[in-house]
Amino acid sequence: MKELHKLLDRIVQRVNINLRELEFDVNPLVNTLIPAGQMTKFYAFYGITPHHALNLVFKHSNLSGSYFLGKVRVTNSLLYKSDIRGDELKKNGDLFQYQDFNIPVDQDEEISIEDSFLIKTLVHNYSHDPETLETFFIKDTVSTHYANIHGSPSDGSFLGPFATVDLTTIRDCVIGAYSYVQAGEVSHLSIDPGTVWVRKPGDFNFMYRYPLGQLSNYVYFAAGSPPQGVFMDFLEDRKEAFERVFNVVNIETPESVPASASLDRFAVIKPKTKIGENVLVAQRAFLQNSVLGKGANAQENCYIINAKLEGNNVTAHGAKIIEADLGKNVFVGFNSFLRGRPGARITIGQECVIMPHTIVDVRKPLTIPPGHLVWGLVRSPQDLEANSMPLKDFAKIDTRVCRGAMLFEGSGGSFVSGFQERIHHILEANGAFFDGKLKRGHAQRNQNISFNTIQPYPEGDKAGLYPTIIIQP
Amino acid sequence: MKNYRVKDLMVPISEYATVPEDATLFEAVQALERAQEQFNQNRYSHRAVLILDKQKKVVGKLSQMDFLAALEPRDANLEQIRNFKQFGFTRKAVALQQEEYLKSSPPILDFYSEAASKKVTEYMQRPTEGEYVDENASLDMALHQLTAGANLSLLVTRGAEIVGILRLSDVFAAVYHSMKESELQKTLGETQ
């Protein structure tokens, strides 16, 4: 296990060098976060389908409990229970549109993870950086529990638990716990915990900050212990259910799943769950006593419990929906936490957009009218009034608006249409519009995946390290 | 341009508003007010207070801007809002967010009362290396130091001792008058 410790030291040092300007030390945060024994305990696995590239290269790394799909290279890294999902990478011959440029992609894009430590992190989508079309790099980076690195190359950065970087290249940045950043390109920035920042330079700028004292109830992270709070408690309570799906080789599929839907064998499906046509359920999703209508999806680390989704619903990576009824075309963004209770359900009208990293946590019934944008912390009708706006009104903003802890500046029209276009793209990519012949997406292509497992050295100096492995067709 | 030396333009320290380092913010402003009242009797208008230690050595300066900044309400949330500029928001947007936040804060007079009793040393600026100029330095040298450091005044030294203040307004007046004189001479020369 000596090599594993050396590798962690190497990664920590490299990240700290990058973050020296911010005077940020990752060592006390991560040095005991995952006991070394855990890192030798779990197998890694990868998917094989006729629809996806198969080009995996692993060198001098630990891959414990992690999943790989597509074209991925991992070097000198520790990946703990992370999902590296390369099913939306750019292909040789694609044209990447950026501003007025149409840039040709001249080789298949690769996710390249080097000198990094990713804990329960989801890596997905493709690099949106026009400067690095063929390589989606994650380098000298530490990311912690349930972080999302979504289309966001990262160099020399730290992501706190439940943080998301989305379509943004980050260099030498600290992204605080439960912060969401979608800003194109940022460097040398320290983002406080609970910041939701969506910026398109020259067009619009949205910022919400969770009240400092209230966020820590949901997520709190400090040196010396794992993340704590409501989010972690919620996940820990359901952890056992996943042990079975990872331990059993041939897991049974519920008979009621339509042929056009995809239910990942590493998802947990509890009784009384109904899956509609064109539904996509990704690995590590958790469904219980819920209805997913036609074209709905549940992405990685989503939990949908005692809920009804009418159809064409996007439940983005890490979102949780409990005791709720969602109309058609409702979007629930990354890591949002919507928690109703028995007798106090949350009702969300059709076409609503629940911004990434939104918390709706109520003890009395709450109704969000159709066509609303919702952000931030909502625990009462008064909070909802302060933290929501009809999309049609938001689209009329052309200077700046401040509502409580939310500040928006620029074109509300661009902001709203940007969201709506993206939601449409996600539904399309996930196969929600499949008509039996055309418009296939992940729900149709991800069926019948074969999974193979790989394992590390069991003992000795190299215990926990995987040998160099190259997997190609 | 006349060959001014720094000492020709400085305000002697004996005529400047000063307070000891254990003074409160309110006492510092009172000292400034008293000095300002004497303005009618001499040629100096006062825009800052010097803070002296027990050995009467200058350890800091409190400008009108420092005073106003001290009255700005402070808490962790406001500090966050003030940092919004680094996220690409305009000053107007930051001011709007600050105003919104302060709606739910205690009345502004409470902040004033709290700030008045704070130590002046919390808000003063400690002089940096580029803020000292020798009393025999040329006006050109002083001008360069003022513009390079974007300073409103410099501390004038005689050896290790601080003997006065050189203010931007006095340097401006001297330079302007020299320029005016020179242009006038040129015009007279052309007409003769």
Side-chain angles (χ1 to χ4, degrees):
Chain A
M1 208 166 290
K2 203 168 136 193
E3 287 290 316
L4 213 56
H5 290 293
K6 272 171 67 181
L7 191 49
L8 177 61
D9 291 345
R10 173 194 163 100
I11 293 166
V12 163
Q13 188 184 50
R14 293 178 77 102
V15 178
N16 278 352
I17 288 168
N18 281 275
L19 294 177
R20 65 193 185 283
E21 188 189 320
L22 301 178
E23 296 178 349
F24 191 84
D25 182 3
V26 298
N27 188 43
L29 290 169
V30 302
N31 65 358
T32 57
L33 206 50
I34 305 297
Q38 289 288 99
M39 304 193 76
T40 58
K41 212 167 148 183
F42 306 105
Y43 61 82
F45 56 114
Y46 60 92
I48 308 172
T49 85
H51 306 293
H52 300 99
L54 177 64
N55 193 341
L56 305 170
V57 179
F58 305 118
K59 280 185 186 168
H60 197 243
S61 295
N62 171 274
L63 312 169
S64 182
S66 293
Y67 169 70
F68 302 89
L69 179 64
K71 188 177 177 189
V72 183
R73 176 181 297 267
V74 183
T75 314
N76 297 329
S77 294
L78 305 171
L79 272 58
Y80 181 73
K81 293 190 177 178
S82 292
D83 286 341
I84 316 300
R85 195 178 136 193
D87 59 0
E88 287 189 8
L89 297 175
K90 296 186 281 291
K91 290 194 174 69
N92 182 10
D94 285 353
L95 275 180
F96 182 80
Q97 197 178 349
Y98 179 76
Q99 294 177 348
D100 294 333
F101 299 98
N102 269 319
I103 315 169
V105 176
D106 60 19
Q107 61 186 41
D108 290 345
E109 185 183 6
E110 173 184 78
I111 297 174
S112 170
I113 302 171
E114 199 177 347
D115 300 304
S116 295
F117 184 14
L118 311 184
I119 301 166
K120 298 188 179 182
T121 295
L122 171 75
V123 179
H124 188 222
N125 211 262
Y126 60 88
S127 163
H128 282 67
D129 187 336
E131 296 172 17
T132 172
L133 290 182
E134 289 87 7
T135 307
F136 176 171
F137 59 81
I138 297 170
K139 187 169 170 286
D140 301 336
T141 290
V142 168
S143 77
T144 53
H145 302 64
Y146 304 103
N148 296 303
I149 299 178
H150 197 253
S152 300
S154 165
D155 187 357
S157 294
F158 172 82
L159 281 79
F162 300 95
T164 298
V165 278
D166 189 14
L167 317 184
T168 302
T169 302
I170 55 169
R171 287 190 172 84
D172 304 343
C173 288
V174 174
I175 313 293
Y178 205 52
S179 282
Y180 173 87
V181 176
Q182 189 199 137
E185 188 172 5
V186 295
S187 60
H188 299 269
L189 268 187
S190 179
I191 311 276
D192 285 334
T195 301
V196 180
W197 181 33
V198 185
R199 183 185 183 205
K200 188 174 177 194
D203 205 355
F204 57 75
N205 203 352
F206 174 102
M207 171 80 79
Y208 172 83
R209 285 217 158 127
Y210 275 84
L212 291 175
Q214 293 176 21
L215 181 67
S216 54
N217 180 39
Y218 292 93
V219 57
Y220 175 76
F221 185 49
S225 58
Q228 297 167 57
V230 169
F231 294 167
M232 288 305 289
D233 293 346
F234 176 86
L235 296 169
E236 287 293 318
D237 287 348
R238 289 155 184 84
K239 197 172 156 184
E240 267 184 29
F242 281 99
E243 286 173 5
R244 182 174 168 268
V245 297
F246 281 92
N247 287 340
V248 175
V249 176
N250 294 312
I251 204 147
E252 67 282 5
T253 308
E255 285 174 13
S256 56
V257 178
S260 63
S262 167
L263 182 59
D264 193 281
R265 58 90 66 224
F266 290 103
V268 168
I269 313 297
K270 292 281 199 180
K272 297 184 187 171
T273 295
K274 289 181 186 159
I275 308 270
E277 299 274 346
N278 299 350
V279 162
L280 172 73
V281 180
Q283 71 263 18
R284 300 188 212 271
F286 181 106
L287 308 181
Q288 181 177 355
N289 188 31
S290 293
V291 177
L292 271 68
K294 185 178 178 184
N297 65 60
Q299 299 174 12
E300 286 84 350
N301 300 317
C302 281
Y303 289 69
I304 299 176
I305 300 169
N306 300 340
K308 185 179 179 192
L309 282 59
E310 284 199 7
N312 286 351
N313 305 85
V314 175
T315 311
H317 308 283
K320 287 119 195 139
I321 301 171
I322 306 121
E323 298 283 355
D325 301 294
L326 277 60
K328 281 192 176 164
N329 298 309
V330 170
F331 171 85
V332 179
F334 288 94
N335 279 346
S336 285
F337 185 74
L338 313 182
R339 181 167 67 171
R341 287 174 170 82
R345 291 179 73 80
I346 301 169
T347 305
I348 304 181
Q350 62 181 12
E351 312 276 349
C352 276
V353 173
I354 310 297
M355 291 273 296
H357 291 218
T358 295
I359 299 174
V360 181
D361 191 12
V362 292
R363 291 179 183 275
K364 289 183 180 170
L366 184 85
T367 298
I368 300 172
H372 272 61
L373 180 76
V374 185
W375 61 84
L377 179 60
V378 175
R379 294 194 295 191
S380 66
Q382 293 73 28
D383 289 343
L384 180 65
E385 178 68 27
N387 288 0
S388 69
M389 199 186 277
L391 283 159
K392 63 178 174 36
D393 291 350
F394 204 99
K396 288 177 191 159
I397 301 171
D398 56 4
T399 52
R400 57 192 68 81
V401 161
C402 180
R403 283 271 195 103
M406 186 280 282
L407 180 63
F408 181 85
E409 188 166 41
S411 165
S414 292
F415 181 80
V416 169
S417 63
F419 252 107
Q420 287 168 335
E421 283 163 20
R422 190 161 177 209
I423 294 164
H424 183 83
H425 164 76
I426 294 168
L427 287 169
E428 198 173 40
N430 286 345
F433 307 133
F434 178 60
D435 60 6
K437 285 183 183 169
L438 301 172
K439 298 181 182 173
R440 281 176 188 278
H442 299 316
Q444 293 76 39
R445 293 195 187 105
N446 289 10
Q447 296 170 348
N448 300 321
I449 293 188
S450 293
F451 295 97
N452 281 349
T453 61
I454 48 178
Q455 299 197 47
Y457 285 98
E459 56 185 15
D461 284 353
K462 289 185 176 174
L465 273 186
Y466 284 61
T468 295
I469 300 172
I470 298 171
I471 300 164
Q472 288 171 344
Chain B
M1 192 159 76
K2 189 177 169 183
N3 290 327
Y4 283 114
R5 295 275 143 195
V6 164
K7 62 184 173 189
D8 302 328
L9 299 172
M10 73 177 193
V11 180
I13 197 158
S14 57
E15 296 178 28
Y16 215 80
T18 61
V19 289
E21 60 185 339
D22 58 355
T24 64
L25 193 65
F26 185 58
E27 286 164 343
V29 183
Q30 281 180 311
L32 189 62
E33 190 183 31
R34 279 196 300 276
Q36 198 63 37
E37 282 165 4
Q38 289 167 14
F39 171 61
N40 291 336
Q41 281 91 53
N42 62 34
R43 66 189 176 97
Y44 308 120
S45 135
H46 293 267
R47 297 192 179 88
V49 182
L50 297 177
I51 292 89
L52 309 179
D53 68 8
K54 289 188 176 63
Q55 286 74 43
K56 303 288 177 196
K57 192 180 155 209
V58 177
V59 291
K61 186 170 64 176
L62 184 86
S63 67
Q64 289 173 335
M65 183 61 85
D66 298 328
F67 171 69
L68 292 176
L71 295 183
E72 287 254 50
R74 278 157 204 256
D75 67 29
N77 286 316
L78 274 172
E79 290 307 313
Q80 277 193 339
I81 292 168
R82 285 170 192 145
N83 282 334
F84 274 20
K85 272 184 280 181
Q86 68 176 323
F87 296 106
F89 285 98
T90 62
R91 282 187 188 187
K92 270 190 179 177
V94 176
L96 183 68
Q97 174 83 76
Q98 187 164 316
E99 195 184 336
E100 175 78 13
Y101 176 73
L102 289 174
K103 275 183 196 169
S104 56
S105 301
I108 200 79
L109 284 176
D110 290 359
F111 287 115
Y112 290 178
S113 166
E114 196 187 326
S117 60
K118 292 274 174 69
K119 291 273 179 247
V120 68
T121 44
E122 279 186 46
Y123 303 103
M124 70 182 192
Q125 303 291 327
R126 291 187 186 276
T128 56
E129 201 183 354
E131 287 181 75
Y132 296 97
V133 63
D134 187 86
E135 63 172 345
N136 290 313
S138 67
L139 184 60
D140 285 348
M141 166 69 89
L143 189 62
H144 173 70
Q145 272 186 248
L146 282 166
T147 53
N151 296 309
L152 293 175
S153 62
L154 298 174
L155 296 169
V156 182
T157 57
R158 181 187 299 144
E161 190 189 357
I162 291 173
V163 292
I165 307 292
L166 181 70
R167 301 178 311 178
L168 183 71
S169 54
D170 296 326
V171 173
F172 172 81
V175 172
Y176 169 67
H177 285 300
S178 295
M179 185 188 278
K180 197 171 158 190
E181 214 169 278
S182 150
E183 289 300 302
L184 194 64
Q185 299 256 335
K186 220 190 316 175
T187 314
L188 285 172
E190 281 167 7
T191 51
Q192 281 169 2

Coordinates of all heavy atoms in Angstrom, one line a residue, chain A residues 189-192 197 199 205-207 209 212 400-409, chain B residues 76-77 79-81 83-84 86-94 96-98 100-101:
Chain A
L189 N -9.9 31.7 -8.7 CA -11.0 32.2 -8.0 C -11.3 31.2 -6.8 O -11.2 30.0 -7.0 CB -12.3 32.3 -8.8 CG -12.6 33.6 -9.6 CD1 -14.0 33.4 -10.2 CD2 -12.6 34.8 -8.6
S190 N -11.7 31.8 -5.7 CA -12.2 30.9 -4.6 C -13.7 31.2 -4.5 O -14.1 32.3 -4.2 CB -11.4 31.3 -3.3 OG -11.9 30.5 -2.3
I191 N -14.4 30.2 -4.7 CA -15.9 30.4 -4.7 C -16.4 29.9 -3.3 O -16.2 28.7 -3.0 CB -16.6 29.5 -5.8 CG1 -15.9 29.7 -7.2 CG2 -18.1 29.8 -5.9 CD1 -16.3 30.9 -8.0
D192 N -17.1 30.7 -2.6 CA -17.6 30.4 -1.3 C -18.6 29.2 -1.4 O -19.3 29.1 -2.4 CB -18.2 31.6 -0.6 CG -17.2 32.6 -0.1 OD1 -16.1 32.1 0.2 OD2 -17.5 33.8 0.0
W197 N -23.7 30.3 -9.5 CA -23.2 31.4 -10.4 C -23.3 30.9 -11.8 O -22.7 29.9 -12.2 CB -21.8 31.7 -10.0 CG -21.2 32.8 -10.8 CD1 -21.8 33.9 -11.4 CD2 -19.8 32.9 -11.2 NE1 -20.9 34.7 -12.0 CE2 -19.7 34.1 -12.0 CE3 -18.7 32.1 -11.0 CZ2 -18.4 34.5 -12.5 CZ3 -17.5 32.5 -11.5 CH2 -17.3 33.7 -12.3
R199 N -23.0 32.5 -15.6 CA -22.6 33.8 -16.3 C -22.3 33.5 -17.7 O -21.6 32.5 -18.0 CB -21.3 34.4 -15.6 CG -21.0 35.7 -16.3 CD -19.7 36.2 -15.7 NE -19.4 37.5 -16.3 CZ -18.1 38.0 -16.4 NH1 -17.1 37.4 -15.9 NH2 -18.0 39.2 -17.0
N205 N -25.7 37.5 -16.1 CA -24.9 37.1 -15.0 C -25.9 36.8 -13.8 O -26.6 37.8 -13.4 CB -23.9 38.2 -14.6 CG -22.7 37.7 -13.8 OD1 -22.7 36.5 -13.4 ND2 -21.8 38.5 -13.5
F206 N -25.9 35.6 -13.3 CA -26.9 35.3 -12.2 C -26.0 34.8 -11.0 O -25.1 34.0 -11.2 CB -27.8 34.1 -12.7 CG -28.7 33.5 -11.6 CD1 -30.0 33.8 -11.6 CD2 -28.2 32.6 -10.7 CE1 -30.9 33.3 -10.6 CE2 -29.0 32.1 -9.7 CZ -30.4 32.5 -9.7
M207 N -26.4 35.3 -9.9 CA -25.7 34.9 -8.7 C -26.7 34.7 -7.5 O -27.5 35.6 -7.3 CB -24.7 35.9 -8.3 CG -24.0 35.8 -7.0 SD -22.7 34.6 -7.0 CE -21.4 35.5 -7.8
R209 N -26.5 33.3 -3.4 CA -25.6 32.8 -2.3 C -26.5 32.3 -1.1 O -27.3 33.1 -0.6 CB -24.7 33.9 -1.8 CG -23.6 34.1 -2.8 CD -22.3 34.3 -2.0 NE -21.1 34.0 -2.9 CZ -20.1 34.9 -3.1 NH1 -20.2 36.1 -2.6 NH2 -19.1 34.5 -3.8
L212 N -25.2 32.1 5.0 CA -24.1 31.4 5.5 C -24.5 30.4 6.6 O -24.0 29.3 6.6 CB -23.0 32.4 6.1 CG -22.3 33.2 5.0 CD1 -21.4 34.3 5.7 CD2 -21.5 32.4 4.1
R400 N -31.1 44.9 -14.5 CA -30.7 44.1 -13.4 C -31.8 44.0 -12.4 O -32.7 44.9 -12.3 CB -29.4 44.7 -12.7 CG -29.6 46.1 -12.2 CD -28.2 46.7 -11.8 NE -27.4 46.9 -13.0 CZ -27.4 48.0 -13.8 NH1 -28.3 48.9 -13.6 NH2 -26.6 48.1 -14.8
V401 N -31.8 42.9 -11.7 CA -32.9 42.7 -10.7 C -32.2 42.0 -9.5 O -31.4 41.2 -9.6 CB -34.0 41.7 -11.2 CG1 -34.8 41.1 -10.1 CG2 -34.9 42.5 -12.2
C402 N -32.7 42.4 -8.3 CA -32.2 41.8 -7.1 C -33.4 41.3 -6.3 O -34.3 42.1 -6.0 CB -31.4 42.9 -6.3 SG -30.8 42.2 -4.8
R403 N -33.4 40.1 -5.9 CA -34.5 39.5 -5.1 C -33.8 38.8 -3.9 O -33.3 37.7 -4.1 CB -35.3 38.5 -5.9 CG -36.3 39.0 -6.9 CD -37.6 39.3 -6.2 NE -38.7 39.4 -7.1 CZ -39.5 38.5 -7.5 NH1 -39.5 37.3 -6.9 NH2 -40.5 38.7 -8.4
G404 N -33.9 39.3 -2.7 CA -33.3 38.7 -1.6 C -31.8 38.4 -1.9 O -31.1 39.4 -2.2
A405 N -31.4 37.2 -1.8 CA -29.9 36.9 -2.0 C -29.6 36.6 -3.5 O -28.5 36.1 -3.8 CB -29.5 35.7 -1.2
M406 N -30.5 36.9 -4.4 CA -30.3 36.6 -5.8 C -30.1 37.9 -6.5 O -30.8 38.9 -6.3 CB -31.5 35.9 -6.4 CG -31.3 35.5 -7.9 SD -31.6 36.8 -9.1 CE -33.3 36.9 -9.2
L407 N -29.0 37.9 -7.4 CA -28.7 39.1 -8.2 C -28.6 38.7 -9.6 O -27.9 37.7 -9.9 CB -27.4 39.7 -7.7 CG -26.9 41.0 -8.4 CD1 -27.9 42.1 -8.3 CD2 -25.5 41.4 -7.9
F408 N -29.4 39.4 -10.5 CA -29.3 39.1 -11.9 C -29.0 40.4 -12.7 O -29.6 41.4 -12.4 CB -30.6 38.4 -12.4 CG -30.5 38.1 -13.9 CD1 -30.0 36.9 -14.3 CD2 -30.9 39.0 -14.9 CE1 -29.9 36.6 -15.7 CE2 -30.8 38.7 -16.2 CZ -30.3 37.5 -16.6
E409 N -28.1 40.2 -13.7 CA -27.8 41.4 -14.5 C -27.7 41.0 -15.9 O -27.1 39.9 -16.2 CB -26.5 42.0 -14.0 CG -26.1 43.3 -14.6 CD -25.0 44.0 -13.9 OE1 -24.0 43.3 -13.5 OE2 -25.1 45.3 -13.8
Chain B
A76 N -20.1 39.3 7.4 CA -19.6 38.3 6.4 C -20.4 38.4 5.1 O -19.8 38.3 4.0 CB -19.6 36.9 7.0
N77 N -21.7 38.5 5.2 CA -22.6 38.5 4.0 C -22.3 39.8 3.2 O -22.2 39.7 1.9 CB -24.0 38.5 4.4 CG -24.5 37.1 4.9 OD1 -24.1 36.1 4.3 ND2 -25.2 37.1 6.0
E79 N -19.4 41.4 3.1 CA -18.1 41.2 2.5 C -18.3 40.4 1.2 O -17.6 40.7 0.2 CB -17.2 40.5 3.5 CG -16.7 41.4 4.6 CD -16.2 42.8 4.2 OE1 -15.3 42.8 3.3 OE2 -16.6 43.8 4.8
Q80 N -19.1 39.4 1.3 CA -19.4 38.5 0.1 C -19.9 39.4 -1.0 O -19.5 39.3 -2.2 CB -20.4 37.4 0.4 CG -19.8 36.2 1.1 CD -20.8 35.1 1.1 OE1 -22.0 35.3 1.0 NE2 -20.3 33.9 1.2
I81 N -20.9 40.2 -0.7 CA -21.6 41.0 -1.7 C -20.5 42.0 -2.3 O -20.5 42.2 -3.5 CB -22.8 41.8 -1.1 CG1 -23.9 40.8 -0.7 CG2 -23.3 42.8 -2.1 CD1 -25.0 41.4 0.1
N83 N -17.6 41.5 -2.8 CA -16.7 40.8 -3.7 C -17.3 40.4 -5.0 O -16.7 39.7 -5.9 CB -16.2 39.5 -3.0 CG -15.1 39.7 -2.0 OD1 -14.4 40.7 -2.1 ND2 -15.0 38.9 -1.0
F84 N -18.6 40.7 -5.2 CA -19.3 40.4 -6.4 C -18.6 40.9 -7.7 O -18.8 40.4 -8.8 CB -20.8 40.9 -6.4 CG -21.7 39.9 -5.7 CD1 -21.2 39.0 -4.8 CD2 -23.1 40.0 -5.9 CE1 -22.1 38.1 -4.2 CE2 -23.9 39.1 -5.3 CZ -23.5 38.2 -4.4
Q86 N -15.7 40.7 -8.6 CA -14.8 39.7 -9.2 C -15.5 38.7 -10.0 O -14.9 37.9 -10.8 CB -13.9 39.1 -8.2 CG -14.6 38.2 -7.2 CD -13.7 37.5 -6.2 OE1 -12.6 37.1 -6.6 NE2 -14.1 37.3 -5.0
F87 N -16.9 38.6 -9.9 CA -17.7 37.7 -10.6 C -18.3 38.4 -11.9 O -19.2 37.8 -12.5 CB -18.8 37.1 -9.8 CG -18.2 36.3 -8.6 CD1 -18.3 36.7 -7.3 CD2 -17.6 35.0 -8.9 CE1 -17.7 35.9 -6.3 CE2 -17.1 34.3 -7.9 CZ -17.2 34.7 -6.6
G88 N -17.8 39.6 -12.2 CA -18.3 40.2 -13.4 C -19.5 41.1 -13.3 O -20.0 41.6 -14.3
F89 N -19.9 41.4 -12.0 CA -21.1 42.3 -11.9 C -20.6 43.8 -11.9 O -19.5 44.1 -11.5 CB -21.8 42.0 -10.6 CG -22.6 40.8 -10.6 CD1 -22.2 39.6 -10.1 CD2 -23.9 40.8 -11.2 CE1 -22.9 38.4 -10.1 CE2 -24.7 39.6 -11.2 CZ -24.2 38.5 -10.7
T90 N -21.5 44.6 -12.4 CA -21.1 46.1 -12.4 C -21.3 46.6 -11.0 O -21.9 46.0 -10.1 CB -22.1 46.8 -13.3 OG1 -23.4 46.7 -12.8 CG2 -22.1 46.3 -14.7
R91 N -20.7 47.8 -10.8 CA -20.9 48.5 -9.5 C -22.3 48.7 -9.1 O -22.7 48.7 -8.0 CB -20.1 49.8 -9.5 CG -18.7 49.7 -9.4 CD -18.1 51.1 -9.3 NE -16.6 51.0 -9.3 CZ -15.9 52.1 -9.1 NH1 -16.4 53.2 -8.9 NH2 -14.6 52.0 -9.2
K92 N -23.1 49.1 -10.1 CA -24.5 49.3 -9.9 C -25.2 48.1 -9.3 O -26.0 48.2 -8.4 CB -25.2 49.7 -11.2 CG -25.2 51.2 -11.5 CD -26.2 51.5 -12.6 CE -26.2 53.0 -12.9 NZ -27.0 53.3 -14.1
A93 N -24.9 46.9 -9.9 CA -25.5 45.7 -9.5 C -25.1 45.4 -8.0 O -25.9 45.0 -7.2 CB -25.1 44.5 -10.4
V94 N -23.8 45.6 -7.7 CA -23.3 45.3 -6.4 C -24.0 46.2 -5.4 O -24.5 45.8 -4.3 CB -21.8 45.5 -6.3 CG1 -21.3 45.3 -4.8 CG2 -21.1 44.5 -7.2
L96 N -26.9 47.6 -5.7 CA -28.3 47.1 -5.6 C -28.5 46.0 -4.6 O -29.4 45.9 -3.8 CB -28.8 46.7 -7.0 CG -30.3 46.3 -7.2 CD1 -31.2 47.5 -7.0 CD2 -30.5 45.7 -8.6
Q97 N -27.5 45.0 -4.7 CA -27.6 43.8 -3.9 C -27.3 44.3 -2.4 O -28.0 43.8 -1.5 CB -26.6 42.8 -4.3 CG -26.4 41.6 -3.4 CD -27.4 40.6 -3.6 OE1 -27.4 39.8 -4.6 NE2 -28.4 40.5 -2.8
Q98 N -26.4 45.2 -2.2 CA -26.1 45.7 -0.9 C -27.3 46.4 -0.3 O -27.6 46.2 0.9 CB -24.9 46.6 -1.0 CG -24.4 47.1 0.4 CD -23.0 47.7 0.3 OE1 -22.1 47.2 -0.4 NE2 -22.8 48.8 1.0
E100 N -30.4 45.9 -1.0 CA -31.4 44.9 -0.7 C -31.1 44.2 0.6 O -32.0 44.0 1.4 CB -31.4 43.8 -1.9 CG -32.3 42.6 -1.7 CD -33.8 43.0 -1.9 OE1 -34.1 44.0 -2.5 OE2 -34.7 42.1 -1.5
Y101 N -29.8 43.9 0.8 CA -29.4 43.2 2.0 C -29.6 44.0 3.2 O -30.1 43.6 4.3 CB -28.0 42.7 1.9 CG -27.4 42.1 3.2 CD1 -27.8 40.8 3.5 CD2 -26.6 42.8 4.0 CE1 -27.4 40.2 4.7 CE2 -26.1 42.2 5.2 CZ -26.5 41.0 5.5 OH -26.1 40.4 6.7

